[in-house]
Amino acid sequence: MWFIYICDEEEKELARQKAPGSCPHCGGKVEATDVETQRRFCFLPLCFTIKRKFFCTLCARRLELFC
């Protein structure tokens, strides 16, 4: 049970902007969010990653981009 407190992941929202297209589930507008993820091990930062995530503004579903 004490392993839960050793590893930590923290997400911080950096920016939001409108994205082209519409939600395939409800037809709502799509919003792109830049998220910084910080992983820690024993309170020491291991890595920082910045990802762009897409969400629908109406149904709040997370959308994935397939290339």
Side-chain angles (χ1 to χ4, degrees):
M1 195 69 184
W2 56 275
F3 288 110
I4 296 173
Y5 299 108
I6 292 176
C7 298
D8 186 25
E9 183 174 287
E10 183 178 318
E11 288 188 350
K12 185 167 99 173
E13 183 178 316
L14 299 177
R16 280 187 183 211
Q17 48 190 300
K18 293 180 183 175
S22 61
C23 176
H25 303 285
C26 70
K29 294 181 181 179
V30 177
E31 191 171 72
T33 306
D34 294 329
V35 178
E36 178 187 67
T37 305
Q38 180 181 11
R39 291 188 177 116
R40 296 180 185 198
F41 179 74
C42 291
F43 303 106
L44 298 173
L46 289 178
C47 66
F48 293 98
T49 55
I50 297 176
K51 294 183 181 179
R52 179 163 284 179
K53 296 183 180 181
F54 295 94
F55 294 96
C56 175
T57 57
L58 287 180
C59 64
R61 287 189 182 187
R62 180 160 186 255
L63 306 173
E64 292 187 17
L65 181 66
F66 294 110
C67 297

